[in-house]
Amino acid sequence: MKKEDIFDNYKDYIMPTYTKVPLVFTKGKGSYLWDIHAKKYLDFFPGWGVGNLGHCHPKVMQAVRDQVSKLIFIANNYYHLPQAKLAKEIIYRSFPGKVFFCNSGAEANEAAIKFSRKFGRGRYEIITFEDSFHGRTLAALAATGQKKYQVGFEPLPEGFKTVKFNDIEAVKNALSDKTVGIMLELIQGEGGVNVADKDFVLELRKICDEKNLLLIIDEVQTGLGRTGKLFCYQHYGITPDIITLAKALGGGLPIATMVVKKEIADTLSPGMHASTFGGSPLVCRAALAVLKTIQKEKLLSYAVKMGDYLFGKLDTLKEKYPLIKEVRGKGLMAGIELNIEGKPIVEKCIEKGLLINCTHDKVLRLMPALNITKGQINKALSVLEEVLKGA
Ligand SMILES: *Cc1c(COP(=O)(O)O)cnc(C)c1O
């Protein structure tokens, strides 16, 4: 099929829910992608946060190939080894607790919301934050503090109070006897790469302890080494009550999970919540390979090193180009806030073979694979600089 025929098929048969870039990709390896004309691209936003190991990591491919030939799927009323192993690995690396497997970030957050309501026994309000993003299903959307995603889909489920991010007084004012939890991303991804203050998070933990509320950390984008620790909450010296993971967990395969601390994990009993595909042998094998690879290839300390290098270069760029308003982020999650619209910048970068993202209109987002090299960072930044120079 030719490129134009592919576009036609999309136009005729696929709902137009995505703003699309007119590129057709056929192959990926590490931080590189090739399009249908065999043009090579450097990918600094692999899979919108899915590609922490880059494209088609050999260890993930190997695990998937092996599992595919044994057992692809088995329903959750039976047992299988990959799920048992993966759950243990996740708990060993996070905090004592239990997991629930599902398939997407929205679903994991949905599970956290349902869990909170059961836990609350009548308390059901969850405090969430402006510019947050928790997914597109109705409850996750209601938790998302961005009107633009919500218009047209009302009435949204009740029970969410959205307050200003990093504002502890706003949180205190929103508390009521119906409050059951506080839900946030420690670095708001879609919302513009906004980093939660340490004092703010410590204070949230304190409030949750005092009032028996659940501190729910959405690690869908920040998890799995993105910020230089396996989970972003580990930078803050707190233990959440619940975390949700998705994007990078399966190395490209759809797997997500909600992790709940041990003391309350049996709040949900048989029949209360489910997901047909959740935690199948195939996706669990992929996720096991991801966790193992992060450890074996020492990608956490490596991401810290490469992150320092990247942010050093971005700070230099900021000094040179006044149209950069602020550079922020952690590890290999970088946001570059511009004084101008980011979309044309992204388009020019793509023309020059560099894939990046723009979120919140003016924030360029770079989230390269954790195994990115210095040479690749140099290359990406020289393309970006060239484009900024012309802007
Ligand atoms: C992407 C994202 C989600 C939604 O994940 P899906 O897999 O698209 O449902 C939820 N929370 C955060 C922080 C995200 O970045």
Side-chain angles (χ1 to χ4, degrees):
M1 222 189 246
K2 285 216 188 67
K3 192 169 166 178
E4 287 66 33
D5 300 325
I6 294 173
F7 291 161
D8 280 346
N9 272 15
Y10 268 74
K11 202 163 135 247
D12 292 343
Y13 306 118
I14 296 174
M15 289 190 194
T17 58
Y18 301 95
T19 310
K20 298 189 82 83
V21 179
L23 293 175
V24 179
F25 286 112
T26 54
K27 204 178 96 172
K29 192 168 191 284
S31 288
Y32 294 108
L33 278 171
W34 286 266
D35 74 3
I36 195 164
H37 308 300
K39 181 177 170 186
K40 190 177 173 185
Y41 292 81
L42 179 57
D43 194 356
F44 260 58
F45 199 65
W48 285 71
V50 168
N52 284 12
L53 299 186
H55 296 280
C56 294
H57 192 284
K59 291 291 187 218
V60 175
M61 291 199 297
Q62 194 184 2
V64 168
R65 277 202 189 108
D66 178 62
Q67 189 59 43
V68 123
S69 64
K70 289 180 181 152
L71 183 64
I72 295 175
F73 182 77
I74 187 82
N76 274 315
N77 58 323
Y78 298 112
Y79 295 85
H80 63 85
L81 179 61
Q83 195 177 103
K85 270 188 162 173
L86 177 60
K88 187 172 174 182
E89 290 295 329
I90 291 171
I91 294 305
Y92 267 47
R93 287 166 165 78
S94 52
F95 48 85
K98 292 186 181 180
V99 309
F100 171 80
F101 286 114
C102 46
N103 314 283
S104 69
E107 242 185 294
N109 288 330
E110 198 80 20
I113 293 162
K114 281 184 73 179
F115 181 95
S116 303
R117 290 189 173 193
K118 263 283 171 225
F119 170 81
R121 298 163 174 273
R123 292 187 295 151
Y124 61 87
E125 267 177 16
I126 297 177
I127 296 174
T128 70
F129 295 91
E130 287 171 12
D131 294 332
S132 62
F133 185 85
H134 298 297
R136 306 287 196 144
T137 59
L138 278 177
L141 188 61
T144 292
Q146 300 191 60
K147 270 276 171 286
K148 67 176 177 192
Y149 294 122
Q150 299 173 335
V151 274
F153 298 107
E154 302 90 348
L156 294 170
E158 294 177 51
F160 299 91
K161 275 194 185 164
T162 304
V163 303
K164 200 159 174 261
F165 193 53
N166 276 332
D167 183 342
I168 201 68
E169 286 312 310
V171 173
K172 285 181 182 161
N173 290 334
L175 292 168
S176 79
D177 57 2
K178 291 274 181 287
T179 310
V180 70
I182 300 173
M183 180 167 173
L184 73 155
E185 306 149 81
L186 293 171
I187 303 178
Q188 295 182 327
E190 306 303 313
V193 191
N194 309 311
V195 184
D197 298 335
K198 187 154 191 181
D199 291 348
F200 174 69
V201 175
L202 293 178
E203 198 63 28
L204 291 181
R205 180 66 274 177
K206 217 167 102 194
I207 291 171
C208 287
D209 288 340
E210 280 167 15
K211 304 205 176 286
N212 190 27
L213 310 179
L214 300 173
L215 184 59
I216 305 163
I217 306 291
D218 179 343
E219 293 257 13
V220 168
Q221 190 164 145
T222 52
L224 286 311
R226 174 49 56 197
T227 66
K229 294 206 185 274
L230 194 59
F231 306 112
C232 192
Y233 78 79
Q234 293 165 335
H235 289 287
Y236 288 82
I238 56 145
T239 306
D241 301 305
I242 298 179
I243 59 172
T244 54
L245 302 173
K247 293 203 164 94
L249 181 58
L253 271 72
I255 177 170
T257 186
M258 161 177 71
V259 184
V260 177
K261 75 170 175 192
K262 199 172 177 183
E263 295 84 338
I264 57 171
D266 292 337
T267 299
L268 295 179
S269 52
M272 281 184 184
H273 195 53
S275 166
T276 297
F277 281 119
S280 76
L282 187 66
V283 297
C284 286
R285 279 294 299 277
L288 276 164
V290 168
L291 289 176
K292 206 167 171 183
T293 299
I294 290 174
Q295 185 172 21
K296 270 225 156 130
E297 297 182 4
K298 299 188 167 51
L299 290 181
L300 299 178
S301 54
Y302 184 75
V304 171
K305 220 166 73 187
M306 288 303 113
D308 286 345
Y309 185 69
L310 174 66
F311 276 98
K313 293 216 132 203
L314 288 176
D315 288 340
T316 311
L317 216 55
K318 179 178 176 284
E319 273 160 33
K320 259 168 102 175
Y321 298 93
L323 60 84
I324 299 181
K325 195 173 157 195
E326 192 179 47
V327 172
R328 50 183 186 255
K330 215 182 221 9
L332 283 169
M333 183 166 182
I336 307 157
E337 185 171 349
L338 305 175
N339 292 314
I340 57 167
E341 292 291 309
K343 198 167 165 247
I345 304 285
V346 170
E347 282 165 1
K348 291 227 175 59
C349 285
I350 293 177
E351 271 172 35
K352 293 179 189 295
L354 172 69
L355 304 178
I356 60 169
N357 171 261
C358 172
T359 190
H360 227 67
D361 302 329
K362 292 184 174 175
V363 183
L364 302 180
R365 193 162 36 151
L366 310 182
M367 294 193 3
L370 307 183
N371 50 20
I372 198 80
T373 64
K374 265 189 186 172
Q376 288 164 336
I377 292 176
N378 292 343
K379 173 74 195 161
L381 278 259
S382 76
V383 172
L384 183 60
E385 174 157 14
E386 214 180 296
V387 171
L388 289 176
K389 218 182 265 170

